[in-house]
Amino acid sequence: MQIPVITVDAFTNRPFSGNPAAVCLLENDLDEDLHQKIATEMNLSETAFIRKLKPGDDFSKSSCFGLRWFTPANEVPLCGHATLASAAVLFHVQKNTNSVLTFVTLSGELKARHVKDHIVLDLPLYTAYPQELKEVEELIKAAVGDMIVQDVRYSPDTKKLLVRLSDTYERSVLENLKVSAQHFLSAEKTGKVKGLILTVKGNSSGKGHDFYSRYFSPWYGILEDPVTGSAHAVLSSYWSEQLGKKEMLGGGIPGEYRHGIGVQQLYDLKGECASEMPECLQRLLNEIL
């Protein structure tokens, strides 16, 4: 059995930028252990597996597919940029004729809409609750040292810890922060944290980005994920509450997201992908035998 594996750069319109994800199109069922072996071999933050749900399904005509995501270390319940990449492969490579695709995932049904030059995802919205600082103090110190922390929240649904740095810090401070994420593994004592979000408030004038963030998950084999939709499922909820806004522009470092908060506990995440890969990459699409 041959499995095409396509590398897609999400949240960018230029090859070799944004956040890359591998996308595998499965014509038939794949042995369970092979999912992880392929993801480990690809060695990207996420590898997505799109599968047909019933006989007769067609990647270019059907509108509903199964979708799973694997890091180099294990399977995860949600990944935004790999979902965007998967939709891009179906829309742009497979020339899927539907304007809306549905993915059946561990996080429920996710929608991807083809809107002009962008793809809009409807992803779950997760609440982060106040977290006692003392319980995670060592982890935070390993991440930001003696920097001033303004707020700490924890999302039990995603197992992500959100650390908001002081509003006195600008984007450049977060961007230039040297983080040794490997040290998080020994510094995290609670056993409940699987991802760490660092975030700062954006431009208070109402122009530009509303917030910036970086995301680390060494527990899943990802030292740093450049732009990640699952973290923004937490960030969107948090910053919407803090800023009193339903439409926001969030900046990953690098990359950016446009957010729209809906009333059904979903958020819209808007992005694009590098759909015109260089000819050399087209020829080098991986095939697993």
Side-chain angles (χ1 to χ4, degrees), residues 7 24 65:
T7 301
C24 300
F65 302 93

Side-chain angles (χ1 to χ4, degrees), residues 33-34 82 113 115-116 124 197 225 259 267-268 270 273 282:
D33 65 322
L34 282 179
R113 290 174 278 137
V115 182
K116 296 183 179 179
I197 302 168
D225 206 347
H259 302 259
Y267 82 96
D268 287 345
K270 180 179 179 182
C273 294
Q282 292 282 9

Side-chain angles (χ1 to χ4, degrees), residues 10 22 32 45 57 144 255:
E32 191 65 23
S45 60
D57 278 353
V144 302

